[in-house]
Every structure is written in structure tokens, then in C-alpha cells.
Amino acid sequence: MTDDALDLHLARALRAYADEGVRRIDAKIVAETAIRNGSRRRLLSRLSRPGPAPSPVDFPSALDFEGVIVPLDPPAAPASPRLQLATGSLGSVAIVLAAVVTGVAIGVTLPWGSNPVGVPVSPPSIAPATTQPSPAATPSDAIRPERHDIRPTRLAAGGWRSGDLHRGRSVYEHAQRPEPGGP
Amino acid sequence: MEHELATPPDLAAMVVAQAAAGDAAAFADIVAEHHDDMARACFVICGDQDMAQDAVQAPWSIAWRKLTSLREPTQLRSWLVTIAANEARQVLRQRRRYRLVEIDLADVGSDEDDPSAQVTRSDLVTALRRLSPEDRSLLALRHISGFDATEIGRAMGMSASGVRSRLMRASARLRSELGHD
């Protein structure tokens, strides 16, 4: 018996104890589950780490698998570093995308509903009075029909209104308003 | 105690090649062939049935992904058991918590001719729990999986001589805990 050997009874007891860890499994189901998880992890790995694949090794050492393995049960298991890396990349893309969408939304809504001087603008009404230039408005602030810009118009109340919206409503109302001499 | 592959080397190599090429049926054959060996080692390391089952299932997805990196099919068994043993230690670290040990009085390895040589299960469980997870890994890989010092060293990132000396101490401690020294 060598120094690291166990006596017959102890070795037999240890093997009998180890046999308690064996459970009947369906190898096909275990294999299918592993293939599903392995394929997903392989995809995540490729997404998170572009570039040439690492060279194959004859026999992976213990360190190759440290911190890499995730249990099959996703909710209870902490994400692996590769998974976290992939999630981080997707998260970054999502943040950038959200920022772009927000910027576009602000750019679209600013000329129509924003108020550069901080004074609230009342909802546009379709009353004819709102379509007429305010007496308090200076000539330079008035809409110049020859220009089709969307420069905001200063109102008597001190607020600002988009000139384009103003003009558009005015044209619409003129079209809808019956002519004084008409039927 | 050296375990041998149940299938001839050529057939094993063919199955590994087929599985590495994406054959799910061949991979299922590998699972059926090696799952129990991995479960035994994981159970000795973890000392817990549930943790051992977790530890023995997770490595299969790694095996599926990295099977193409296995150049020597005869190393398949030691490769798989190594992955499982490493996973078992990792699961043990993650879930280090107190668990009640089921104590039954069933003897394992009993010898009616020599009652003093009997090893009760509860004594064995208690003795194993007093060892570190690394020492249990050494004992499992040596006495359950039948690895030699070089294979254990490769699996645990140690030199073969370091494995021998540490295995000697672990075995002596286990014997001592059980009063077999």
C-alpha cells in the first residue's frame, strides 16, 4: 500500500459513498439541454468577443473553466463574465439608441411645443383672433408670408408660437370660413 | 484503481469526432457513458446530492462547445471528470452554507469478520467534511476516478510531486479521522 492509498475497507466505503451521487438520468435529455445551452453560450461568446478564435488546446486546465461556467438554471445562477460582457455590449447599444431616439424626439417637438423663454403657451385655439398678428408684436416678429420658415412668433402675452403652425392654421381657417358675400 | 473506457479507443474516437461535428446522438452516447463517473466525483467533493447534480450537469454545455479542442479522444474521460470536479468546487464555493446531514446508521464497506474495520457512513461523511474541498477533490480524483498524479496535477493546476505530497497528507488525515491510522 502506497502512502496515499486507503485501506481496503476505507476505499470500499468511499466508493460506496460515491455511488450515492449517481442518479438515473436520460442521457438524451441531458445532451439536448447541454447542446441548447452550449450553442447559446457559443453565440454570446462570439458576439461579445470579436476576433480570431483562441487556438485549441490539448487539455484544458482547471483555470480554463474558472468563472466561466453558469448553471443551467438561469434565474438562480450568476451570469458568467462572458454573459455579462455580452449583456454590457447590448446595454451600451440600447443606451446609445435611446439617446438618439430621445434627441430626434426633442428635435421634432421643440419647434412646435417648446417655449424658449419659459413662459407657458396656451393650447392653440382655432379662434380667428389668434390668427391675427398681435398689436403688441413688432414688425420684425411678424410672419413674413414670402418666407416659409418656421421661426417662432412672439405673442402679446409674452409667449412664443411657432410661425409655421400659426400660418398653417390660418390658411386652414381661411379655407373653411365662408366668404362674406357667399351663399 | 484505473478505470478503462468501456468502448474501444477507435470507437470512442469516432464517437468524439461525430459529436464534435455536431452529432447530437453521438453526444448523448458520451453523456450516457461518462455522466455517472462525473457524478461520483462531484458527490464526494460536494457532499450534497443537489449540489453534485448541479455540478455534473453544467459541464456538458462546456463539453459540447469545446469538444473540438480535445485532440486526444482517449483523454475524454479525464477531461470531462476534470471539468466536473472544477465545477463541483466552484458550486461549493458559491453555495457555502450549512446543511443538515442525513445521518443513517447503514454501514458501508462493512466486514462481518472484523467489526472494528467497519466504516459507518456518518463517520465517513463527518471525516470528509473536515477536509478542505481541495483535499476532497484530490481523494475523489484519485480513489473514485482513478487519476494518476499527473492527471490530477493537470486538473487542479498543481505539479505531480505536489499532488503526491498533498494526497498523502489528505489520505493520512482521512484515516486519522476514522481511526484507521
Side-chain angles (χ1 to χ4, degrees), chain B residues 8-144:
Chain B
D10 289 345
L11 182 57
M14 193 174 71
V15 172
V16 170
Q18 287 174 342
D23 186 338
F27 188 66
D29 288 344
I30 293 175
V31 172
E33 176 77 27
H34 298 286
H35 191 86
D36 289 355
D37 285 341
M38 296 159 68
R40 288 186 185 95
C42 287
F43 183 64
V44 171
I45 294 168
C46 294
D48 180 278
Q49 186 73 254
D50 292 335
M51 279 196 279
Q53 290 304 313
D54 285 348
V56 78
Q57 297 226 5
W60 285 118
S61 63
I62 293 176
W64 173 253
R65 279 191 299 128
K66 301 209 168 198
L67 206 53
T68 51
S69 69
L70 183 68
R71 288 180 183 159
E72 186 52 65
T74 57
Q75 298 280 347
L76 177 63
R77 180 176 173 278
S78 56
W79 184 64
L80 291 171
V81 172
T82 295
I83 298 173
N86 290 332
E87 176 65 11
R89 287 202 303 277
Q90 188 167 324
V91 167
L92 201 58
R93 279 196 295 270
Q94 288 170 352
R95 304 192 202 173
R96 204 177 286 268
R97 62 177 185 253
Y98 180 76
R99 281 182 166 236
L100 290 175
V101 181
E102 292 178 12
I103 298 178
D104 58 43
L105 299 178
D107 293 344
V108 285
S110 61
D111 186 344
E112 292 179 358
D113 295 335
D114 183 7
S116 65
Q118 290 182 1
V119 179
T120 64
R121 182 189 183 278
S122 57
D123 287 344
L124 181 60
V125 170
T126 303
L128 284 171
R129 281 177 181 253
R130 286 179 181 156
L131 302 179
S132 68
E134 285 71 27
D135 283 350
R136 289 201 296 271
S137 298
L138 286 168
L139 291 170
L141 294 176
R142 178 75 188 95
H143 298 291
I144 303 300

Side-chain angles (χ1 to χ4, degrees), chain B residues 155-175:
Chain B
M156 297 186 63
M158 300 166 66
S159 67
S161 59
V163 167
R164 285 189 202 96
S165 61
R166 187 157 178 184
L167 190 55
M168 198 167 63
R169 287 198 299 273
S171 300
R173 180 149 183 223
L174 184 63
R175 284 195 297 264

